[in-house]
Structure formats: C-alpha cells, structure tokens
Amino acid sequence: MRLVTESKYLRALVAEQRSNGNTVGLVPTMGNLHAGHMQLVTEARQQCDFVISTIFVNPLQFGPTEDLDAYPRTLEADKNLLAENGCNVLFAPSVEEIYGTDPRQQTTIHVPGITEKYCGASRPGHFDGVATVVCKLFNLSNPDVAFFGLKDYQQFLVIKKLVRDLGLAVELKGVETVREASGLAMSSRNGYLSKQERKNAASIYHCLQNTASALASGNKAFSELEAQAITALREDGLEPDYYAICNAENLAAASSKDRNLVILAAARIGASRLIDNLRLTI
Ligand code: PAF
C-alpha cells in the first residue's frame, strides 16, 4: 500500500489507474479505524479495481466546543489495518494540504434542507464541513464509487443530495453498520467510553430494536414510541439529544402513510456523543 500526503501524487496515481482501465473506489475516513471502516474497504475491494482510503480529521466539521484536538489519531495502526485489508493507497494529507494556510478562507458548500434537523441542529456548521471536504476528496481522487457507513445516515443523505445537486460523477454506496456483540454501533468515539458507559451505551440499539418491532407490528403512535425510548435511554444513564421516527428518504417526521422509515438516535454518555439508526420497511 502506498502512503500519499500530497494531492498532486494522488491525482497522478488515479490518472495512471484510469488510463489502465481500472475502476477507483474511495473510502473517506477520519482515521482511528475499526471493523466498520474495514467493511467499507472490503466492499470497495469487491466492487472496484483500485481502492483509495483517506484519513483526514477535518477541522471544518467540528464545532468550537467539540473534540477536534482530542479526536484519536492512530496513523500507524490505521496504516497496518488498511494494508492488511487490501487498500491500495492511503491518502493522509495535512490540514494545510487540504485548506491552505487559512481554513477560515476556504470556500464552503452548504446543502440546504436535509442538514437543518437532528445532527445539523445540534452541531451547527457540521454538515457544511462534511460536504466541503467530501466534495474536495471527490475532486482529488475522481472515484467511480465512494463508500460511506450508514451509521451516519443523515450524513449519507446529505452527501447524496450534494452529489445530485452538483452533478458529481460518483456513485455512492451506503454500507451497513458493524456492531459490537452488545449491539453498540462501532464508532471511533466509543474509545472515550468507560467500561460501564460502554455497557450502558448498548441501550441505544436496544431502544431502536424495541421501537422497530413496535412499528413492524403496526403501532403508529410515533410520538409515544419516541417518548418511551427517551425514558428508557435516561434510565440507562444516557442523555438523549434526539430520538425520532422519520421518513427514510427525507427525514420528515414519519406519517402513517410512510412505508420506508428510519429511527434516528443521538445520545450523550460521559464524554461521548453517540449516534445510531435503524431502517425498516413496514
Ligand atoms: O464519516 C466520517 O468519517 C467523516 O464525516 C467523513 C465522511 C470522512 C468526512 O470527513
């Protein structure tokens, strides 16, 4: 596996692959890689000839009081994991390589509508940062297919709209969430959890499962189901940020006519803010 830190070398490698007729898959990450990321790499390898993974802790998507400085940076371990899993190139640029000397002067992208609720409301500016860096990574790596985890379901919809609105020539693939044995969704932020918090955090998935089975058995009392889950999360020591049953295509509050639903959850526990979701068709 090649480690590349400069955009011009990444572009040259991609151009070479393309001239050989190879398809390019992109797996954008912020590092501190785990089995969830490796699932993205595995699917990229299955679908594309040449796989690029990026590691970039993107300052633009962190708010002023968020964990940018504390965010785990584990480049050596990440490099080994990616190489073992058949990634061809790791692009790990500096902040200056991506944003120049003054990130505040960076042109940014705002995706309207879908960014306004849930994580967008709790983390102002977050999705502008995500859309900007993802667009930039697409431009630098010119992938045929880009792979994103569905744990960040709202992010996936934001990127889908970005691609459609700007006419970007990339196919998006959403990859299922990988879970620990307890059901807790794998996340780099799980590393902040104590042993007890980790146990309690599994409550998010149990609530999602309970809500999903109530919906599947015909219960359409959406607000009541949301309130029950919020109570259960609090009883398990979590502070819910939101818990919402939504239309899976546009994240509008679910109506009794909707068939494709997503249950979105975000909750704080200790120093972590965790998100998860469950999608179902009723
Ligand atoms: O999901 C993530 O890890 C990040 O938001 C992404 C897509 C790599 C952009 O920085």
Side-chain angles (χ1 to χ4, degrees):
M1 185 184 74
R2 297 272 292 271
L3 170 65
V4 176
T5 55
E6 290 179 52
S7 309
K8 62 182 177 194
Y9 295 122
L10 180 67
R11 286 189 197 277
L13 281 170
V14 172
E16 186 190 347
Q17 292 301 321
R18 291 201 160 282
S19 69
N20 292 339
N22 288 335
T23 54
V24 175
L26 178 70
V27 178
T29 82
M30 297 206 301
N32 194 232
L33 304 178
H34 49 67
H37 295 111
M38 289 313 110
Q39 191 57 36
L40 303 180
V41 173
T42 301
E43 297 210 10
R45 276 185 50 212
Q46 283 163 0
Q47 291 180 45
C48 301
D49 302 314
F50 191 75
V51 176
I52 301 168
S53 183
T54 67
I55 294 183
F56 181 63
V57 183
N58 174 30
L60 244 55
Q61 69 186 76
F62 287 77
T65 60
E66 292 185 351
D67 56 344
L68 174 63
D69 293 336
Y71 199 85
R73 288 153 170 93
T74 51
L75 188 62
E76 275 312 303
D78 292 348
K79 244 171 31 188
N80 293 336
L81 210 53
L82 287 168
E84 281 161 21
N85 282 273
C87 177
N88 299 102
V89 169
L90 165 58
F91 179 54
S94 64
V95 172
E96 192 171 346
E97 177 68 16
I98 294 295
Y99 292 133
T101 48
D102 189 355
R104 286 166 308 175
Q105 290 302 313
Q106 168 69 33
T107 301
T108 56
I109 298 177
H110 176 67
V111 179
I114 194 85
T115 55
E116 274 152 31
K117 293 206 276 186
Y118 307 119
C119 284
S122 309
R123 305 181 66 190
H126 169 69
F127 285 125
D128 291 2
V130 170
T132 302
V133 81
V134 166
C135 191
K136 193 140 188 173
L137 293 171
F138 286 171
N139 286 334
L140 297 176
S141 59
N142 191 18
D144 295 278
V145 192
F147 298 80
F148 294 91
L150 289 171
K151 179 175 78 68
D152 299 286
Y153 186 71
Q154 188 177 11
Q155 169 175 280
F156 187 68
L157 293 188
V158 170
I159 296 168
K160 239 170 129 173
K161 181 164 163 57
L162 168 80
V163 165
R164 191 181 53 233
D165 289 358
L166 298 186
L168 305 179
V170 55
E171 183 189 338
L172 297 180
K173 279 277 154 73
V175 176
E176 272 313 324
T177 304
V178 178
R179 299 181 181 281
E180 297 185 359
S182 66
L184 176 65
M186 296 238 177
S187 162
S188 300
R189 289 188 167 100
N190 291 353
Y192 301 147
L193 299 171
S194 69
K195 211 169 157 194
Q196 186 58 48
E197 287 167 349
R198 211 179 184 97
K199 253 185 170 171
N200 291 7
S203 171
I204 300 175
Y205 185 54
H206 298 147
C207 286
L208 291 171
Q209 283 182 309
N210 288 341
T211 307
S213 58
L215 293 168
S217 63
N219 188 335
K220 295 200 173 174
F222 302 126
S223 308
E224 215 170 277
L225 292 172
E226 290 165 355
Q228 280 167 8
I230 284 173
T231 303
L233 288 169
R234 290 206 172 111
E235 280 168 5
D236 284 332
L238 290 103
E239 188 40 49
D241 183 357
Y242 57 77
Y243 191 96
I245 304 166
C246 305
N247 175 301
E249 273 98 50
N250 57 22
L251 302 191
S255 87
S256 55
K257 288 192 187 126
D258 286 329
R259 292 282 158 269
N260 293 325
L261 299 176
V262 59
I263 316 158
L264 296 176
R268 291 177 194 281
I269 180 160
S272 305
R273 179 179 178 281
L274 303 176
I275 62 172
D276 201 352
N277 70 82
L278 213 56
R279 278 148 285 115
L280 76 157
T281 301
I282 54 172

